[in-house]
Amino acid sequence: MSLLGRSRGAADVRLDSADVASFRAKLLHEIDLSELTALSAAQRRARLERVLSSIMARQGPMITLRERNALVRQLVDEALGLGILEPLLDDETVTEIMVNGPDDIYVERAGRIERVRLKFTSAEQLYQTIDRIVANVNRRVDESSPMVDARLATGERVNVIVPPLALDGPVLTIRRFPTPYTLHQLIEMGSLDRPTAELLVACVRARLNLVVSGGTGSGKTTMLNALSSAIPDTERIVTIEDSAELKLQQPHVVRLEARPANTEGSGLVAIRDLVRNSLRMRPDRIIVGEVRGGETLDMLQAMNTGHEGSLATVHANSADDSIIRLETLASMSEVPVPSDTLRDQINSAIEVVVQLSRTAGGRRRVSEVATLVSRHREPFRLAPITVLDVDPGHPEGGELRPIGLPATLAERIRRAGSPPPAGLEVLAGASGREVS
């Protein structure tokens, strides 16, 4: 029996693929599979750990009790979970796991990428882990279908790409389910200040249509989840997502999730189909996890036809880019719509844009809150309400500076029963900057 990576730390003692296969065969010989199916996941793991501990005590290598416990956990992880990735999934500080072939594993912690010492014993073991993931969502990955998106049972998003598209071996990326922070927690973390949080809560309560914009990993879903807490419990909310991540606390929430095509290429249910269907479900508000295609047009029409106060996220690097991107995405609909009509839809629907960014230190925070002041078929114009004065030496990357709240928005907020946020001057007119 060969033990890989023997060292003082029990976590560094690893079994190679031949040892894993040997112990798996012994385990299957001693357990009753029908009995396991009747147990919960926790009971199943505890049962396997007891049996494996007994097997290793009788037939295992001469190692310490601590090392034996580590090897038992490895074997159970191989049998029930994702093998060597299980400790990373259990680590709350890890927000992303990036596997670049069997020998190269990186994680993201606190916005920074670092390499970890773990590695798969072979490409075959990595492929077995990938097959276990995609089999749970009735998908397959091979040369004929080398890319797949999936989701773990615990909510993490998974992307897989294998050779021949990935030149250096299978690539597996796991994005952790975002922690549902409250606005108060985001303030404590430095993602935004209290006056900006009060402004956003007032906008949600006033049923303003709001878009959260930002780059990859900037915290769009986390912010959307926090803002949704301001929606009254009396409203019916329909959430629509590609991979279900939102965790709303209201009692009347209907959660919808898109479905990819199966191995035969059929069964696809796109975000757009769900947006259209949601209009028949009597929603007070519609929350779209991320718009990325023709469903943008349906979302804009919903916002313009009685579903005020809806929220969505869009991938863009600035508030200006978010408006241009919405126009581009809406034009991807199979229904040809003239550009001036699209501009009219966006000017009528979108009222507030919350732009998120990541600082040089990896911190996620609000960089701008702006309102779309253009109307009808005018060129897009955005008026900043609060902006981030970037300061690399500041612990949060800078401070948010209030600019002012257009009188029309202030009046909408007043009518909803909230005073305009303190510290924000009410502006009689806001010309805004032209978006191009």
Side-chain angles (χ1 to χ4, degrees), residues 203-266:
C203 290
V204 173
R205 289 178 177 166
R207 300 186 66 86
L208 299 176
N209 293 323
L210 190 146
V211 169
V212 179
S213 168
T216 301
S218 59
K220 298 185 295 295
T221 302
T222 300
M223 177 60 68
L224 188 65
N225 207 85
L227 291 177
S228 68
S229 64
I231 299 176
D233 288 351
T234 55
E235 296 188 15
R236 176 176 168 89
I237 307 166
V238 176
T239 67
I240 300 169
E241 299 175 85
D242 198 33
S243 294
E245 297 178 6
L246 293 171
K247 291 186 177 180
L248 275 61
Q249 303 304 311
Q250 288 83 352
H252 199 164
V253 178
V254 179
R255 303 169 69 222
L256 305 179
E257 182 181 53
R259 184 178 69 188
N262 59 24
T263 53
E264 286 77 34
S266 60

Side-chain angles (χ1 to χ4, degrees), residues 23 59 119 126 128 163 245 247 257 271 296 362 389 425:
F23 277 111
Q59 305 175 42
K119 60 176 62 177
L126 174 53
Q128 288 173 353
E245 297 178 6
K247 291 186 177 180
E257 182 181 53
I271 292 283
T296 306
D389 287 334
E425 179 186 358

Side-chain angles (χ1 to χ4, degrees), residues 98-152:
M98 294 152 276
V99 181
N100 306 331
D103 301 323
D104 236 4
I105 302 178
Y106 292 82
V107 298
E108 182 188 60
R109 285 190 178 96
R112 294 183 179 274
I113 294 177
E114 59 187 67
R115 190 172 185 175
V116 295
R117 295 172 59 188
L118 298 173
K119 60 176 62 177
F120 289 88
T121 57
S122 64
E124 180 186 3
Q125 187 189 28
L126 174 53
Y127 271 113
Q128 288 173 353
T129 300
I130 290 172
D131 288 340
R132 187 172 297 159
I133 292 172
V134 299
N136 288 333
V137 291
N138 196 28
R139 305 290 299 278
R140 64 181 172 84
V141 60
D142 51 33
E143 287 190 7
S144 62
S145 179
M147 293 188 297
V148 68
D149 288 311
R151 185 160 61 93
L152 300 182

